[in-house]
Amino acid sequence: MTESDQMLCERARAGDFEAASELLKRHYQAIFAYLRRLSGGDEDAADLTQRTFAKAWTSLPSFRGTSTFSAWLHGIARHVRLDWLRRRNNAVPQTDEWWEACPSGDPDPARNAEDRDLQGQLYRWVDELDDDKRQAVHLHYYQGLSLDETAAVLGIATSTVKYRLREAMNFLRSKSSEPKTSFR
């Protein structure tokens, strides 16, 4: 049976390098994926992920366990990204080429192309959302955090998360029901 994140945190706080390494292994991919989606590239995401974990290790003594370790870590990642955006003063939307380069595990090329087109369109529409709604969508739907965890990361009430997600879904529904443009 594997140890809980809470137990690993306790051990890591006491200086156990193996416990800290296990926490890193468990959460690296999720944090990297979250930051990759928001930053727009592997290099920036890798840099932001390193900054997130560096900040997490220095802040580990302040982790009280009132939220899950994952929610706490996503909150740090969110703040690291916001600091990065302030310094760069640029939010980079993804190009179609970037989305087309995203790997897929779907073995059927026709279905893969159709799904990729639909996913790319959906991601572009999500990118059109204001930052508050986009953050809620990323954390809840892309990262799989619960409503309460998403609220904790964003520092808002759960009801506000629900409202932002509902507004985002209404926007996405309206975009998907718009008539398609023909290029004939």
Side-chain angles (χ1 to χ4, degrees):
M1 180 158 76
T2 62
E3 275 186 277
S4 71
D5 283 351
Q6 184 68 32
M7 292 170 63
L8 288 170
C9 283
E10 293 299 323
R11 287 181 40 211
R13 275 189 250 197
D16 186 336
F17 180 75
E18 287 182 27
S21 293
E22 180 61 28
L23 285 169
L24 177 75
K25 286 178 198 170
R26 286 184 185 183
H27 298 281
Y28 185 89
Q29 285 298 85
I31 296 300
F32 178 82
Y34 171 65
L35 292 167
R36 180 178 186 243
R37 174 72 185 103
L38 292 174
S39 69
D42 289 344
E43 288 180 25
D44 288 333
D47 180 48
L48 293 171
T49 302
Q50 285 182 341
R51 290 182 197 183
T52 297
F53 279 98
K55 188 159 185 79
W57 301 141
T58 60
S59 302
L60 195 57
S62 69
F63 176 64
R64 295 184 310 270
T66 56
S67 65
T68 64
F69 181 76
S70 177
W72 180 74
L73 196 56
H74 275 85
I76 291 172
R78 178 177 175 263
H79 288 288
V80 165
R81 177 188 165 263
L82 289 173
D83 290 343
W84 174 75
L85 283 175
R86 284 185 198 110
R87 280 193 303 276
R88 290 181 48 130
N89 194 21
N90 102 25
V92 181
Q94 297 308 316
T95 63
D96 290 342
E97 292 79 23
W98 185 87
W99 288 113
E100 289 170 5
C102 292
S104 171
D106 193 69
D108 178 11
R111 173 91 190 262
N112 185 20
E114 182 180 306
D115 288 349
R116 213 174 29 202
D117 288 345
L118 181 60
Q119 289 171 356
Q121 185 60 56
L122 181 61
Y123 289 141
R124 284 189 294 278
W125 290 336
V126 168
D127 283 343
E128 291 179 26
L129 294 167
D130 65 59
D131 194 54
D132 291 339
K133 291 179 186 89
R134 188 170 51 247
Q135 286 285 333
V137 167
H138 284 291
L139 291 167
H140 184 65
Y141 292 112
Y142 296 172
Q143 296 302 309
L145 296 183
S146 70
L147 293 171
D148 290 335
E149 290 172 327
T150 301
V153 169
L154 297 174
I156 57 176
T158 304
S159 60
T160 304
V161 171
K162 291 177 184 178
Y163 171 78
R164 289 178 182 176
L165 292 173
R166 185 173 48 253
E167 290 294 305
M169 291 302 114
N170 289 340
F171 173 78
L172 295 173
R173 280 188 201 101
S174 73
K175 294 298 271 186
S176 67
S177 65
E178 288 178 0
K180 308 293 183 252
T181 316
S182 175
F183 294 105
R184 295 179 197 183

